Amino acid sequence: MLLPRREAAAAGNTSDAPFNPSMVRDLARNLASKSFEAPDEKLPGGLNDLTYDQYRSIRFRPERALWRSEKLPFQAQFFHRGFFYKNKVSIFEVVDGKVSEVRYSKDDFSFGEKVPAFTETDLGFAGFRIHAPINKPDYYDEVCVFLGASYFRAVAKDETYGLSARGLSIDTGEAKGEEFPYFKAFWLERPVPNATSLVIHALLDSKSCAASYRFTIRPGKTTVFDVEASLYPRADLDHAGLAPMTSMFFFGPNDRNEVDDFRPSVHDSDGIAIYNGKGESLWRPLSNPRDLQISTFQDVNPRGFGLMQREKNFFAYQDIESGFEKRPSLWVEPIGDWGEGAVTLIEIPTKEEIHDNIAAFWRPKAPLKAKSENNLTYRLHWGPDAPKPHALARFTRSGVGARGANSKLFVLDLIGDNLKGIDPNSVKGVVTAEKSEVTDIVTQPNPNTGGWRLSFQCAVKKEPIELRAHLAQDDKPLSEIWVYRWAP
């Protein structure tokens, strides 16, 4: 059984059980007071050993989508269990303050010819996806997906899936190995006619922590999730990752080491942007390092951060099938004070684009103590760009190339309305390098982009170099701050 018997009844495992907004939070608090129970992964026969292609052939029948017959502005479809997705996830519908379980039915799915036959009738689900008329008023496109551990992802208008968010990360990047919390139950509030938002509640569990989440989802040109989370650690969490996200960076103009590929770039995200508590805007291009890299950006009460896909030109990728230029950016907007901590970026070496090798999250300075309650509110912006907090120019491309055996040329492109019509003689590039020498700093308009270009050379050795750069006029910043770690 997925939930303990008493908790299952409280969660609405019977029809027309009452529901209130604090119920899931109470469930999480109660769950954390008990020993952790591993999720139910029991599957019949061949379902336990499905291949990727077999699992892909199992499709939910769209005509059986939740809320389809009522012609409501949102619909829900469900994922079958199997392949990597063996956990049984309970899903409930909330209507007029009453909750009832969404029951599994084999008839809701079509199965490929190679999927082994089975007779079980109560398998439950692996997850779900939400559809809404985001691109056309008469067609329900997929807007977001909750599937696997505590992962979820979303798109905005005219976008395709790329990076993912997570409910919580624990010990990510630590030598002892990562713990993967998982969503074990969801409550979907039935939307009213003409609703523009959908509310979803979730119960998370893991060996070290239980938690509740309330998502208010608003699809559009930017799809926005309002997130209210309450975390209840079973043990001290020294390395908790809050508002975590994960992405893929294989190679780009700044990092093509040992790459033999017809495409100029392959990535779901090309950089991390940070708007820190001091009011500084930072841009850090991503890389595919030779060794694991962990970067921390210390801060107090951050104003926002996220993994961005700034390059939106098809010709930067030349990949007709993948459509990397249509992948969303994901921006975290903290609501309220988050105190001291650090935006943490983890870059993991990969030799294939099928792996998510980038992680980013907020790590609080103080551990989350066992038996404590930790409430967190934030907003997730999925879309073509992050909310713009200022008028400073932004870096759009970072190119790196050799200049002799012991030197690198860095070529940085920027765009911004504040650079248009500016006197070129008044613009200067400010570049610093830790433990290295910078020469040949050049700034010039780029007529091909309508922006500017900043280039410089840097002596390199056999150790990493931390670099910072920006454009300035009369000692006033014209651009955000470019920060980069060059590694041999």
Side-chain angles (χ1 to χ4, degrees):
M1 180 175 290
L2 184 64
L3 299 175
R5 187 177 303 277
R6 183 175 61 183
E7 294 180 4
N13 226 0
T14 57
S15 297
D16 298 325
F19 181 89
N20 65 74
S22 64
M23 189 192 77
V24 184
R25 189 167 62 248
D26 293 339
L27 282 172
R29 185 186 295 109
N30 187 51
L31 195 62
S33 68
K34 298 177 172 60
S35 299
F36 172 69
E37 293 185 15
D40 180 1
E41 295 186 350
K42 296 178 182 178
L43 285 172
L47 288 181
N48 199 52
D49 300 307
L50 293 179
T51 66
Y52 173 78
D53 289 335
Q54 286 175 318
Y55 185 73
R56 288 273 295 174
S57 72
I58 304 176
R59 303 294 180 88
F60 189 87
R61 300 182 187 275
E63 65 272 16
R64 294 176 178 265
L66 185 66
W67 307 320
R68 184 183 180 97
S69 61
E70 293 92 337
K71 298 182 179 180
L72 295 176
F74 295 90
Q75 296 176 8
Q77 299 184 21
F78 304 97
F79 289 101
H80 206 280
R81 294 171 64 198
F83 189 51
F84 289 151
Y85 311 109
K86 297 178 182 180
N87 290 2
K88 184 178 181 181
V89 177
S90 295
I91 300 177
F92 305 95
E93 181 188 14
V94 179
V95 183
D96 296 329
K98 302 289 184 178
V99 59
S100 59
E101 186 173 13
V102 179
R103 296 289 184 176
Y104 168 87
S105 173
K106 189 175 179 181
D107 294 337
D108 290 342
F109 296 88
S110 63
F111 297 85
E113 295 180 359
K114 296 183 179 180
V115 176
F118 60 94
T119 59
E120 282 77 1
T121 59
D122 188 22
L123 290 179
F125 303 105
F128 65 95
R129 58 191 180 195
I130 299 299
H131 293 242
I134 192 172
N135 293 311
K136 299 179 181 179
D138 58 347
Y139 185 80
Y140 282 66
D141 280 300
E142 201 171 314
V143 171
C144 64
V145 171
F146 289 80
L147 179 66
S150 69
Y151 289 89
F152 59 98
R153 56 182 181 165
V155 294
K157 180 179 172 61
D158 298 324
E159 291 185 333
T160 60
Y161 282 125
L163 78 171
S164 299
R166 299 168 65 181
L168 177 67
S169 69
I170 299 176
D171 294 332
T172 306
E174 296 300 309
K176 64 181 179 180
E178 183 171 0
E179 180 178 324
F180 287 92
Y182 70 101
F183 288 128
K184 64 187 305 176
F186 293 93
W187 292 258
L188 282 57
E189 294 192 14
R190 179 187 290 183
V192 299
N194 301 316
T196 59
S197 64
L198 177 69
V199 175
I200 296 172
H201 305 262
L203 179 64
L204 177 143
D205 199 15
S206 75
K207 181 180 179 181
S208 301
C209 186
S212 68
Y213 291 80
R214 184 182 190 272
F215 302 97
T216 302
I217 302 170
R218 300 191 300 274
K221 293 182 179 179
T222 294
T223 292
V224 178
F225 284 40
D226 288 334
V227 184
E228 301 170 48
S230 295
L231 281 61
Y232 302 93
R234 289 187 174 93
D236 290 351
L237 299 183
D238 297 320
H239 304 289
L242 307 182
M245 60 189 77
T246 182
S247 190
M248 179 275 292
F249 182 93
F250 188 25
F251 62 89
N254 62 307
D255 189 348
R256 287 186 60 91
N257 291 330
E258 301 178 1
V259 172
D260 186 8
D261 198 295
F262 76 93
R263 299 165 295 180
S265 300
V266 172
H267 50 71
D268 286 339
S269 305
D270 52 12
I272 184 170
I274 301 171
Y275 187 33
N276 65 26
K278 298 178 182 179
E280 295 177 324
S281 289
L282 308 179
W283 172 250
R284 161 70 183 273
L286 299 176
S287 65
N288 180 3
R290 294 180 183 273
D291 302 299
L292 173 71
Q293 289 197 87
I294 300 179
S295 304
T296 57
F297 302 86
Q298 304 293 332
D299 202 0
V300 179
N301 296 328
R303 304 183 188 184
F305 66 93
L307 294 174
M308 303 288 109
Q309 182 76 323
R310 284 188 176 177
E311 181 56 78
K312 297 297 184 182
N313 190 332
F314 164 80
F315 296 101
Y317 306 99
Q318 295 284 353
D319 192 322
I320 295 175
E321 295 181 357
S322 297
F324 292 110
E325 70 279 4
K326 297 179 182 179
R327 306 290 171 100
S329 297
L330 176 55
W331 181 257
V332 177
E333 178 190 352
I335 306 298
D337 293 341
W338 281 17
E340 292 186 69
V343 175
T344 302
L345 171 66
I346 299 177
E347 297 163 300
I348 304 169
T350 184
K351 294 184 178 180
E352 296 180 289
E353 63 192 87
I354 61 174
H355 301 298
D356 280 350
N357 64 318
I358 303 296
F361 47 82
W362 173 256
R363 176 166 288 170
K365 181 179 180 180
L368 303 184
K369 292 295 185 180
K371 300 181 180 181
S372 66
E373 178 172 325
N374 306 270
N375 297 311
L376 189 71
T377 304
Y378 55 97
R379 186 168 290 132
L380 298 176
H381 301 259
W382 307 80
D385 202 354
K388 296 181 179 179
H390 52 66
L392 295 175
R394 304 196 310 165
F395 291 91
T396 59
R397 182 181 184 275
S398 300
V400 182
R403 271 295 183 268
N406 299 308
S407 182
K408 291 288 183 180
L409 174 66
F410 293 81
V411 180
L412 316 178
D413 285 319
L414 305 94
I415 58 171
D417 290 339
N418 64 327
L419 299 179
K420 295 178 180 178
I422 196 169
D423 180 4
N425 295 320
S426 69
V427 178
K428 67 177 182 179
V430 181
V431 185
T432 60
E434 186 183 74
K435 301 178 182 179
S436 186
E437 180 184 4
V438 174
T439 59
D440 300 317
I441 300 174
V442 177
T443 60
Q444 59 185 322
N446 186 341
N448 299 289
T449 63
W452 274 66
R453 174 165 286 185
L454 166 62
S455 64
F456 60 91
Q457 290 190 119
C458 181
V460 297
K461 301 178 182 179
K462 295 183 179 181
E463 58 185 14
I465 300 170
E466 300 289 345
L467 297 153
R468 290 173 67 94
H470 70 277
L471 291 184
Q473 181 185 46
D474 298 328
D475 296 325
K476 293 182 180 180
L478 290 171
S479 74
E480 64 187 1
I481 301 170
W482 179 89
V483 293
Y484 192 71
R485 177 185 294 163
W486 179 88

Short mmCIF file of all heavy atoms in Angstrom, two decimals, residues 15 37 41 45 54 58 69 83 87 113 142 157 188 193 196 209 231 247 261-262 270 280 341 371:
data_model
loop_
_atom_site.label_atom_id
_atom_site.label_comp_id
_atom_site.label_asym_id
_atom_site.label_seq_id
_atom_site.Cartn_x
_atom_site.Cartn_y
_atom_site.Cartn_z
N SER A 15 -14.32 7.60 -1.61
CA SER A 15 -15.02 8.64 -2.35
C SER A 15 -15.60 9.69 -1.41
O SER A 15 -16.08 9.38 -0.31
CB SER A 15 -16.13 8.02 -3.20
OG SER A 15 -15.58 7.15 -4.16
N GLU A 37 9.21 4.41 4.61
CA GLU A 37 8.84 3.18 3.94
C GLU A 37 9.15 3.33 2.46
O GLU A 37 8.72 4.29 1.81
CB GLU A 37 7.35 2.88 4.13
CG GLU A 37 6.96 2.56 5.57
CD GLU A 37 5.51 2.16 5.69
OE1 GLU A 37 4.88 1.86 4.65
OE2 GLU A 37 4.99 2.14 6.82
N GLU A 41 7.11 -0.76 -5.71
CA GLU A 41 7.61 -0.93 -7.08
C GLU A 41 7.19 -2.28 -7.68
O GLU A 41 7.71 -2.68 -8.73
CB GLU A 41 9.13 -0.81 -7.11
CG GLU A 41 9.65 0.57 -6.74
CD GLU A 41 11.15 0.70 -6.92
OE1 GLU A 41 11.81 -0.34 -7.14
OE2 GLU A 41 11.66 1.83 -6.85
N GLY A 45 4.83 -9.56 -13.97
CA GLY A 45 5.51 -10.15 -15.11
C GLY A 45 6.44 -9.24 -15.87
O GLY A 45 7.33 -8.60 -15.31
N GLN A 54 9.35 -0.36 -25.70
CA GLN A 54 8.11 -0.97 -25.23
C GLN A 54 7.32 0.01 -24.36
O GLN A 54 6.10 0.13 -24.50
CB GLN A 54 8.42 -2.24 -24.43
CG GLN A 54 8.85 -3.43 -25.27
CD GLN A 54 9.24 -4.60 -24.41
OE1 GLN A 54 9.93 -4.45 -23.39
NE2 GLN A 54 8.83 -5.81 -24.79
N ILE A 58 3.23 2.35 -24.86
CA ILE A 58 2.04 2.40 -24.01
C ILE A 58 1.53 3.84 -23.97
O ILE A 58 2.22 4.74 -23.49
CB ILE A 58 2.35 1.91 -22.58
CG1 ILE A 58 2.95 0.51 -22.61
CG2 ILE A 58 1.09 1.94 -21.73
CD1 ILE A 58 3.37 0.01 -21.24
N SER A 69 -14.66 15.30 -20.87
CA SER A 69 -16.09 15.30 -21.16
C SER A 69 -16.78 16.55 -20.64
O SER A 69 -17.80 16.98 -21.18
CB SER A 69 -16.75 14.05 -20.55
OG SER A 69 -16.60 14.02 -19.14
N PHE A 83 9.29 0.38 -17.02
CA PHE A 83 10.59 0.90 -17.41
C PHE A 83 11.26 1.52 -16.19
O PHE A 83 11.40 0.89 -15.17
CB PHE A 83 10.42 1.89 -18.57
CG PHE A 83 11.71 2.34 -19.21
CD1 PHE A 83 12.65 1.41 -19.63
CD2 PHE A 83 11.97 3.68 -19.40
CE1 PHE A 83 13.83 1.81 -20.21
CE2 PHE A 83 13.17 4.09 -19.98
CZ PHE A 83 14.09 3.15 -20.39
N ASN A 87 7.53 3.24 -9.49
CA ASN A 87 6.84 3.66 -8.27
C ASN A 87 5.35 3.84 -8.51
O ASN A 87 4.93 4.44 -9.51
CB ASN A 87 7.39 5.00 -7.77
CG ASN A 87 8.80 4.86 -7.23
OD1 ASN A 87 9.39 3.79 -7.26
ND2 ASN A 87 9.33 5.98 -6.76
N GLU A 113 2.37 -3.90 -29.53
CA GLU A 113 2.30 -5.34 -29.75
C GLU A 113 3.31 -6.11 -28.91
O GLU A 113 3.09 -7.27 -28.55
CB GLU A 113 2.53 -5.65 -31.23
CG GLU A 113 1.43 -5.11 -32.15
CD GLU A 113 1.70 -5.44 -33.60
OE1 GLU A 113 2.75 -6.06 -33.88
OE2 GLU A 113 0.87 -5.08 -34.45
N GLU A 142 0.21 19.68 -24.54
CA GLU A 142 0.82 19.29 -23.30
C GLU A 142 1.53 20.51 -22.70
O GLU A 142 2.35 21.15 -23.35
CB GLU A 142 1.82 18.17 -23.55
CG GLU A 142 2.16 17.34 -22.35
CD GLU A 142 2.97 16.12 -22.72
OE1 GLU A 142 2.60 15.42 -23.69
OE2 GLU A 142 3.99 15.88 -22.04
N LYS A 157 4.15 28.90 -24.44
CA LYS A 157 3.64 28.92 -25.81
C LYS A 157 4.77 28.76 -26.82
O LYS A 157 5.82 29.39 -26.68
CB LYS A 157 2.89 30.24 -26.05
CG LYS A 157 2.30 30.43 -27.43
CD LYS A 157 1.57 31.76 -27.52
CE LYS A 157 1.14 32.07 -28.94
NZ LYS A 157 0.21 31.07 -29.48
N LEU A 188 -5.43 16.78 -7.55
CA LEU A 188 -5.69 17.71 -8.65
C LEU A 188 -7.04 18.37 -8.42
O LEU A 188 -8.09 17.68 -8.38
CB LEU A 188 -5.71 16.97 -10.00
CG LEU A 188 -4.37 16.58 -10.63
CD1 LEU A 188 -3.52 15.71 -9.72
CD2 LEU A 188 -4.61 15.87 -11.96
N PRO A 193 -15.10 26.28 -15.14
CA PRO A 193 -15.12 26.74 -16.54
C PRO A 193 -14.43 28.10 -16.68
O PRO A 193 -14.55 28.97 -15.82
CB PRO A 193 -16.61 26.83 -16.84
CG PRO A 193 -17.25 25.86 -15.90
CD PRO A 193 -16.44 25.91 -14.65
N THR A 196 -8.10 30.09 -15.65
CA THR A 196 -6.79 30.33 -16.27
C THR A 196 -5.66 29.71 -15.47
O THR A 196 -4.50 29.83 -15.86
CB THR A 196 -6.54 31.84 -16.42
OG1 THR A 196 -6.60 32.46 -15.13
CG2 THR A 196 -7.58 32.48 -17.34
N CYS A 209 13.47 13.08 4.54
CA CYS A 209 12.55 14.22 4.59
C CYS A 209 11.21 13.87 3.98
O CYS A 209 11.12 13.11 3.01
CB CYS A 209 13.18 15.40 3.84
SG CYS A 209 12.26 16.95 3.94
N LEU A 231 8.67 21.68 4.36
CA LEU A 231 9.60 20.56 4.47
C LEU A 231 9.73 20.13 5.93
O LEU A 231 9.89 20.97 6.83
CB LEU A 231 10.97 20.97 3.93
CG LEU A 231 11.19 20.98 2.42
CD1 LEU A 231 10.26 21.97 1.72
CD2 LEU A 231 12.64 21.34 2.10
N SER A 247 19.48 20.15 -16.06
CA SER A 247 19.48 20.39 -17.49
C SER A 247 20.63 19.65 -18.15
O SER A 247 21.36 18.88 -17.50
CB SER A 247 19.57 21.90 -17.76
OG SER A 247 19.34 22.18 -19.12
N ASP A 261 31.12 16.59 -34.21
CA ASP A 261 29.68 16.67 -34.42
C ASP A 261 29.39 17.73 -35.47
O ASP A 261 30.05 18.78 -35.50
CB ASP A 261 28.98 17.03 -33.10
CG ASP A 261 27.50 16.71 -33.10
OD1 ASP A 261 26.75 17.34 -33.88
OD2 ASP A 261 27.08 15.82 -32.33
N PHE A 262 28.39 17.47 -36.33
CA PHE A 262 28.07 18.43 -37.39
C PHE A 262 27.39 19.68 -36.86
O PHE A 262 27.32 20.71 -37.54
CB PHE A 262 27.16 17.76 -38.45
CG PHE A 262 25.72 17.61 -38.02
CD1 PHE A 262 24.78 18.59 -38.35
CD2 PHE A 262 25.30 16.51 -37.29
CE1 PHE A 262 23.46 18.47 -37.96
CE2 PHE A 262 23.98 16.39 -36.90
CZ PHE A 262 23.04 17.36 -37.24
N ASP A 270 22.20 27.22 -21.79
CA ASP A 270 23.56 27.66 -22.11
C ASP A 270 24.21 28.47 -20.99
O ASP A 270 25.38 28.83 -21.10
CB ASP A 270 23.61 28.43 -23.43
CG ASP A 270 22.61 29.57 -23.52
OD1 ASP A 270 22.02 29.93 -22.49
OD2 ASP A 270 22.41 30.09 -24.63
N GLU A 280 23.20 42.81 -8.04
CA GLU A 280 24.05 42.49 -9.18
C GLU A 280 23.41 41.41 -10.04
O GLU A 280 22.80 40.47 -9.52
CB GLU A 280 25.42 41.98 -8.70
CG GLU A 280 26.26 42.99 -7.95
CD GLU A 280 27.56 42.37 -7.47
OE1 GLU A 280 27.55 41.19 -7.08
OE2 GLU A 280 28.58 43.09 -7.47
N GLY A 341 22.90 31.88 2.21
CA GLY A 341 23.09 30.62 1.51
C GLY A 341 23.87 30.84 0.23
O GLY A 341 24.63 31.81 0.10
N LYS A 371 13.13 17.20 12.54
CA LYS A 371 11.90 17.50 13.28
C LYS A 371 11.53 18.99 13.24
O LYS A 371 10.73 19.45 14.07
CB LYS A 371 12.00 17.02 14.74
CG LYS A 371 12.23 15.52 14.86
CD LYS A 371 12.29 15.09 16.32
CE LYS A 371 12.53 13.58 16.42
NZ LYS A 371 12.58 13.13 17.85
#
